[in-house]
Amino acid sequence: MSTGAIAVIGASKNRRKFGNKCVRAFHHAGWDVYPVNPHEDQIEGLVTYRSLRDVPVTLDRISLYLPPDRTRGLLADLAEFEGVQVWFNPGSADARVLEEAADAGIDVRDGCSIVDIGLSPSCLLYTSPSPRDFKYD
């Protein structure tokens, strides 16, 4: 049974990047994960979508891993997802973007979406995909 559905905007094939760590962390935690990246077909074995509008399910969360100027360009699209938590991960928004998002009626969550599900990005290893990707101290 799924914990929920999340779109990861700025998902990456690079296992050192947080956009990849988010995909792996939420998948490990039982979420249905929908990576969004217009330049990739698959990330971590999951079908990748070109845009948020291409994601074929109702989402519970959206997690952003883009620079603030690119995030700002998505605010109108994000505002259409009423009742969906939108996580502005560190580096994805500045104070102005967060204010504009709140003014647009977006359910703003300013923080690390990985930490919110009880994991730490530092626990994710860079090796090949497997349950051993997570180290626990």
Side-chain angles (χ1 to χ4, degrees):
M1 177 182 243
S2 170
T3 304
I6 182 170
V8 180
I9 302 177
S12 174
K13 279 189 171 184
N14 183 337
R15 299 188 110 227
R16 296 187 190 297
K17 291 193 170 196
F18 289 98
N20 179 283
K21 291 179 179 191
C22 182
V23 169
R24 289 186 285 138
F26 275 84
H27 187 68
H28 175 77
W31 286 69
D32 293 328
V33 180
Y34 299 88
V36 177
N37 183 319
H39 308 292
E40 302 293 347
D41 293 325
Q42 277 194 355
I43 294 175
E44 297 295 324
L46 301 170
V47 172
T48 302
Y49 297 89
R50 301 280 180 246
S51 74
L52 187 56
R53 292 187 181 278
D54 295 330
V55 175
V57 300
T58 300
L59 295 168
D60 300 292
R61 285 187 178 192
I62 298 168
S63 191
L64 296 161
Y65 291 93
L66 299 172
D69 59 324
R70 292 196 46 215
T71 298
R72 180 175 287 109
L74 292 175
L75 292 180
D77 288 341
L78 293 169
E80 294 181 21
F81 288 84
E82 294 181 30
V84 176
Q85 296 177 1
V86 179
W87 283 83
F88 294 83
N89 290 281
S92 69
D94 54 28
R96 186 171 145 217
V97 169
L98 293 172
E99 182 179 338
E100 290 174 17
D103 290 346
I106 295 170
D107 184 358
V108 172
R109 306 296 171 113
D110 181 19
C112 179
S113 60
I114 298 170
V115 171
D116 184 64
I117 60 169
L119 295 173
S120 168
S122 64
C123 79
L124 297 159
L125 304 177
Y126 308 133
T127 59
S128 62
S130 80
R132 295 179 306 250
D133 284 349
F134 297 83
K135 70 174 185 182
Y136 301 97
D137 296 332

